[in-house]
Amino acid sequence: EIILTQSPGTLSLSPGERATLSCRASQTISNNYLAWYQQKPGQAPRLLVYGASSRAPGIPDRFSGRGSGTDFTLTITRLVPEDFAVYYCQHYGNSPPFSFGQGTRLDIK
Amino acid sequence: QVQLVQSGGGLVKTGGSLRLSCAASGFTFSDYFMSWIRQAPGQGLEWISYISSSGGTRYYADSVKGRFTISRDNAKNSLYLQMNSLRAEDTAVYYCGRHPSGIDYWGQGALVTVSS
């Protein structure tokens, strides 16, 4: 079973700043089957990135994912107020369980 | 447009059963893998089950294995989750999701509350 550990748990930043969120896997994720999601209170999650670095349709280009193997990063440049939310990573593909990380809360400073 | 509309949540007693449904529209349902994910109150996301496009392959998280059954009816464009032997720790919002590369579309969620 692949365990995903996200850091930091909470990130406090101001609008206009850059956010860097980390997701580390306990073993190599094959084919970079790693996704990132954004969730706001009372809403279902929204897919941001799949395949570690491919933006989902309609996602602004200030969101970018990178990484491979066991270390992955989601970067949000030039934060805007609607970006403050909880972010999750998830691995998917051939090896269930398709676990999620515990989440990073992005708060307004 | 792609829509996943869930039904079937509610209050159930410990040890009881409940069936969740997820009606799909706006895409060729039979082409897609599907998953169920849940979120306990104030907690993170937990993937719990997955089914292949034909229904021939099914996976479960250890937390629900042997108690929950995922199924689909491609003729009715519907996904199901049969939940038996429910426990207090199964209390959560349950989401269905379309699962091609990551989960790209999500249902609106259905609250399941398990109480004695």
Side-chain angles (χ1 to χ4, degrees), chain B residues 57-116:
Chain B
T57 299
R58 309 176 194 201
Y59 299 129
Y60 298 94
D62 286 346
S63 58
V64 305
K65 199 174 295 181
R67 300 187 300 122
F68 289 13
T69 302
I70 190 171
S71 63
R72 65 191 296 159
D73 185 336
N74 286 342
K76 294 183 177 179
N77 294 330
S78 292
L79 175 73
Y80 306 101
L81 185 68
Q82 177 67 43
M83 304 184 291
N84 299 331
S85 303
L86 283 161
R87 307 166 179 166
E89 55 265 35
D90 295 319
T91 294
V93 173
Y94 286 73
Y95 296 100
C96 61
R98 193 176 80 164
H99 193 148
S101 297
I103 298 167
D104 63 349
Y105 284 92
W106 297 66
Q108 81 277 18
L111 177 62
V112 173
T113 304
V114 184
S115 175
S116 56

Side-chain angles (χ1 to χ4, degrees), chain A residues 57-76:
Chain A
I59 300 303
D61 61 7
R62 64 179 182 273
F63 291 90
S64 63
R66 61 180 300 170
S68 64
T70 61
D71 288 303
F72 300 88
T73 301
L74 176 71
T75 300
I76 314 169

Side-chain angles (χ1 to χ4, degrees), chain A residues 1 35 37 39 42-47 49-51 88 90-94 96-102, chain B residues 35 37 39 42-47 50 59-62 95 99-109:
Chain A
E1 176 180 351
Y37 303 88
Q39 188 180 33
Q43 296 183 17
R46 176 174 71 147
L47 178 67
V49 169
Y50 64 94
Y88 296 94
Q90 183 205 18
H91 87 90
Y92 60 90
N94 300 326
F98 303 130
S99 51
F100 290 87
Q102 81 279 19
Chain B
S35 275
I37 305 94
Q39 187 168 37
Q43 303 302 308
L45 300 170
E46 180 188 15
W47 170 85
Y50 161 104
Y59 299 129
Y60 298 94
D62 286 346
Y95 296 100
H99 193 148
S101 297
I103 298 167
D104 63 349
Y105 284 92
W106 297 66
Q108 81 277 18

